Amino acid sequence: MNETYYERRDLEDFPHIGEYAPEPGAKFFEYYATATSAGKLTAREKALIALAVATVRHCPYCIDAYTNKCLSLGVGNDEMMEAVHVGAALVAGDTLAHATQMRKIIKQKEM
Amino acid sequence: MMHQATSRTDPADAFIERLTDCGAFPLRASGIDILQLNITRRCNLSCKHCHVQAGPRRTEMMSRETMTRCIEVAGTEEISTIDITGGTPEMHQDLEWLIIKLAALKKRLIVRSNLLVMLEPAYRRYLDVFAANKVELVGSLPDCNAEKSDRQRGVGTFERVLQAIGELNQRSYGVPGSGLRLHLVHNPVGAYLPGPQAALEAEYRRLLGDRHGLSFNTLFCLVNTPIGRYLDYLKRSGNLSDYMRALQCAFNPQTVTSVMCRTTLSVGWDGRLYDCDFNQMLNLTVNSGAPDHIEAFDYARLAGREIMVRSHCFACTAGAGSSCQGALKT
Ligand code: SF4
Ligand code: SF4
């Protein structure tokens, strides 16, 4: 059997996620379009941010969509990888920053 | 209701279904504004995406006789633009003669060039021939990243194109207000679709202008059409079905009325007539009802002909649309 929860073709279903709740669906898409299209930041900058978030969030659909978008916008492979490192560094930093809680507790508890 | 397909169109074709859904089938020409002449399939390069499958060993060349007939047809009042393409037009021994004759018509005259051929001693004179005849140049530069561009066209080609642009800029090509227009063509180096033309143009300007001091008028973004060598690449790399799906998902009904075949007539090296250069490479001559050779050119019968559409047409209707003049909707 060749069934998986995540299928590449599911990405094509994204425009239909408003099904069963069209009003919030439409509002989401309006927001999504505004947030991800060029504003003060360029389309390239936003695509790189989205790619970094997609990898951090482990979303295969968004990684596919935004890798393609970055290629389409002429973003270099090296630039994409740098963006992923920003995401990776933030995850590492965020993990280590939470060690503060551990360190505080250790200091509180140890004699 | 599904329209009755003509004897030469395949009713099962997904593109016909989409056209039918938006009430645009059969697709018909709405005049002939552009006469596109593909005068040779010879080229000094063998780019990986080339739909013409052009290369140094190709021998097809338009004869003087056919050119003479094309010049007569180009004089037709309704035709405003003559667009010379190939292969590499400079490698046709009669290009200079053809340009001088066509320039005398005082119409918009375009030559599509890979630009770097003009650095070769045998073709250098074209830098000046084009300028003297006010030819509008459309030069291919698939990507503004050297490594990517070279992957498609061969090592060192990017640098040489930049050098050729520099030479053209010295002759005022691409300099705003000079009247000598130089456009560049971007097409994806791989199995993806081009981004918005304006964003890519800004990127080209940033890299070519700011870094190299080069100028051009407009960037045309082209979607790669899944035929010729590009089709071979898609098959070889296992990307064909994904790419076709991407094209179909990006189908934009608003582009249908402006696809270039509606206002273009494409002439092959042997004088045969096609709806576009892509159909030419597939040997799909114009619909059987209309004359299919330049010798039998008849404006009235060709101006409203039914277009021979196939699934490769999805490349013209994806996203912002695509044509030899770049995106259809910007
Ligand atoms: S794409 Fe243009 S330059 Fe490249 S091989 Fe084809 S005709 Fe020649
Ligand atoms: S591929 Fe040719 S015939 Fe098909 S839509 Fe594009 S221009 Fe028209």
Short mmCIF file of all heavy atoms in Angstrom, two decimals, chain B residues 300-322:
data_model
loop_
_atom_site.label_atom_id
_atom_site.label_comp_id
_atom_site.label_asym_id
_atom_site.label_seq_id
_atom_site.Cartn_x
_atom_site.Cartn_y
_atom_site.Cartn_z
N ALA B 300 -6.87 37.69 -45.57
CA ALA B 300 -8.26 37.51 -45.14
C ALA B 300 -8.50 36.09 -44.61
O ALA B 300 -9.20 35.91 -43.61
CB ALA B 300 -9.19 37.81 -46.30
N ARG B 301 -7.90 35.11 -45.25
CA ARG B 301 -8.15 33.73 -44.82
C ARG B 301 -7.32 33.34 -43.60
O ARG B 301 -7.71 32.44 -42.84
CB ARG B 301 -7.89 32.76 -45.97
CG ARG B 301 -9.02 32.85 -47.03
CD ARG B 301 -8.70 32.04 -48.24
NE ARG B 301 -8.61 30.60 -47.94
CZ ARG B 301 -7.90 29.75 -48.66
NH1 ARG B 301 -7.21 30.16 -49.69
NH2 ARG B 301 -7.88 28.47 -48.33
N LEU B 302 -6.20 34.01 -43.40
CA LEU B 302 -5.36 33.66 -42.25
C LEU B 302 -5.71 34.47 -41.00
O LEU B 302 -5.51 34.00 -39.88
CB LEU B 302 -3.88 33.88 -42.61
CG LEU B 302 -3.27 32.79 -43.50
CD1 LEU B 302 -2.03 33.31 -44.21
CD2 LEU B 302 -2.94 31.54 -42.69
N ALA B 303 -6.25 35.65 -41.19
CA ALA B 303 -6.46 36.57 -40.06
C ALA B 303 -7.44 36.04 -39.03
O ALA B 303 -7.36 36.41 -37.85
CB ALA B 303 -6.91 37.93 -40.57
N GLY B 304 -8.36 35.17 -39.42
CA GLY B 304 -9.33 34.66 -38.44
C GLY B 304 -9.25 33.15 -38.29
O GLY B 304 -10.19 32.51 -37.84
N ARG B 305 -8.08 32.61 -38.66
CA ARG B 305 -7.94 31.14 -38.65
C ARG B 305 -8.09 30.57 -37.23
O ARG B 305 -7.82 31.26 -36.25
CB ARG B 305 -6.56 30.74 -39.21
CG ARG B 305 -5.42 31.10 -38.28
CD ARG B 305 -4.05 30.96 -38.89
NE ARG B 305 -3.02 31.19 -37.88
CZ ARG B 305 -2.58 32.39 -37.52
NH1 ARG B 305 -3.08 33.47 -38.07
NH2 ARG B 305 -1.65 32.49 -36.58
N GLU B 306 -8.46 29.32 -37.19
CA GLU B 306 -8.52 28.64 -35.90
C GLU B 306 -7.11 28.22 -35.51
O GLU B 306 -6.36 27.69 -36.33
CB GLU B 306 -9.43 27.40 -36.00
CG GLU B 306 -9.58 26.70 -34.66
CD GLU B 306 -10.42 25.43 -34.74
OE1 GLU B 306 -11.30 25.35 -35.63
OE2 GLU B 306 -10.19 24.55 -33.93
N ILE B 307 -6.76 28.47 -34.25
CA ILE B 307 -5.40 28.16 -33.79
C ILE B 307 -5.30 26.67 -33.45
O ILE B 307 -6.22 26.08 -32.88
CB ILE B 307 -5.07 28.99 -32.52
CG1 ILE B 307 -5.28 30.50 -32.75
CG2 ILE B 307 -3.66 28.70 -32.01
CD1 ILE B 307 -4.38 31.13 -33.75
N MET B 308 -4.15 26.11 -33.78
CA MET B 308 -3.90 24.69 -33.50
C MET B 308 -3.36 24.55 -32.08
O MET B 308 -2.15 24.66 -31.86
CB MET B 308 -2.86 24.16 -34.50
CG MET B 308 -3.29 24.29 -35.94
SD MET B 308 -4.64 23.19 -36.33
CE MET B 308 -3.80 21.62 -36.32
N VAL B 309 -4.24 24.34 -31.13
CA VAL B 309 -3.79 24.28 -29.73
C VAL B 309 -3.51 22.83 -29.31
O VAL B 309 -4.14 21.90 -29.80
CB VAL B 309 -4.79 24.95 -28.77
CG1 VAL B 309 -4.84 26.44 -28.99
CG2 VAL B 309 -6.17 24.33 -28.90
N ARG B 310 -2.55 22.69 -28.42
CA ARG B 310 -2.18 21.40 -27.83
C ARG B 310 -1.82 21.64 -26.36
O ARG B 310 -1.83 22.77 -25.90
CB ARG B 310 -0.95 20.82 -28.55
CG ARG B 310 -1.21 20.36 -29.98
CD ARG B 310 -2.06 19.11 -30.02
NE ARG B 310 -2.19 18.57 -31.35
CZ ARG B 310 -3.06 18.98 -32.26
NH1 ARG B 310 -3.88 19.98 -31.99
NH2 ARG B 310 -3.11 18.41 -33.45
N SER B 311 -1.42 20.57 -25.68
CA SER B 311 -1.17 20.74 -24.24
C SER B 311 0.02 21.65 -23.94
O SER B 311 0.08 22.27 -22.88
CB SER B 311 -0.99 19.39 -23.56
OG SER B 311 0.07 18.71 -24.17
N HIS B 312 0.97 21.80 -24.89
CA HIS B 312 2.12 22.70 -24.62
C HIS B 312 1.65 24.15 -24.49
O HIS B 312 2.37 25.00 -23.96
CB HIS B 312 3.18 22.58 -25.72
CG HIS B 312 2.72 23.04 -27.06
ND1 HIS B 312 1.94 22.27 -27.89
CD2 HIS B 312 2.89 24.21 -27.72
CE1 HIS B 312 1.67 22.95 -29.00
NE2 HIS B 312 2.24 24.13 -28.92
N CYS B 313 0.44 24.44 -24.98
CA CYS B 313 -0.10 25.81 -24.90
C CYS B 313 -0.27 26.27 -23.44
O CYS B 313 -0.35 27.48 -23.18
CB CYS B 313 -1.43 25.91 -25.63
SG CYS B 313 -1.30 25.57 -27.39
N PHE B 314 -0.33 25.32 -22.51
CA PHE B 314 -0.44 25.70 -21.09
C PHE B 314 0.72 26.61 -20.67
O PHE B 314 0.60 27.35 -19.70
CB PHE B 314 -0.45 24.46 -20.20
CG PHE B 314 -1.83 23.86 -20.01
CD1 PHE B 314 -2.12 22.59 -20.47
CD2 PHE B 314 -2.82 24.58 -19.35
CE1 PHE B 314 -3.38 22.03 -20.28
CE2 PHE B 314 -4.09 24.03 -19.16
CZ PHE B 314 -4.37 22.76 -19.62
N ALA B 315 1.85 26.53 -21.39
CA ALA B 315 2.98 27.40 -21.04
C ALA B 315 2.66 28.87 -21.33
O ALA B 315 3.21 29.77 -20.71
CB ALA B 315 4.23 26.98 -21.80
N CYS B 316 1.76 29.12 -22.28
CA CYS B 316 1.43 30.51 -22.64
C CYS B 316 0.38 31.11 -21.70
O CYS B 316 0.20 32.32 -21.68
CB CYS B 316 0.90 30.57 -24.07
SG CYS B 316 2.12 30.10 -25.29
N THR B 317 -0.33 30.25 -20.97
CA THR B 317 -1.45 30.75 -20.15
C THR B 317 -1.18 30.59 -18.66
O THR B 317 -2.09 30.75 -17.85
CB THR B 317 -2.74 29.98 -20.50
OG1 THR B 317 -2.48 28.58 -20.38
CG2 THR B 317 -3.21 30.29 -21.91
N ALA B 318 0.06 30.23 -18.30
CA ALA B 318 0.38 30.02 -16.88
C ALA B 318 0.65 31.35 -16.20
O ALA B 318 1.40 32.18 -16.72
CB ALA B 318 1.59 29.10 -16.74
N GLY B 319 0.05 31.54 -15.06
CA GLY B 319 0.31 32.75 -14.26
C GLY B 319 0.02 34.02 -15.01
O GLY B 319 -1.09 34.27 -15.46
N ALA B 320 1.07 34.83 -15.19
CA ALA B 320 0.90 36.11 -15.90
C ALA B 320 0.88 35.90 -17.40
O ALA B 320 0.78 36.85 -18.17
CB ALA B 320 2.02 37.06 -15.52
N GLY B 321 1.00 34.64 -17.85
CA GLY B 321 1.02 34.36 -19.29
C GLY B 321 2.42 34.57 -19.85
O GLY B 321 3.27 35.19 -19.21
N SER B 322 2.66 34.03 -21.04
CA SER B 322 4.00 34.11 -21.62
C SER B 322 3.92 34.20 -23.13
O SER B 322 3.05 33.58 -23.75
CB SER B 322 4.78 32.85 -21.21
OG SER B 322 6.06 32.85 -21.78
#
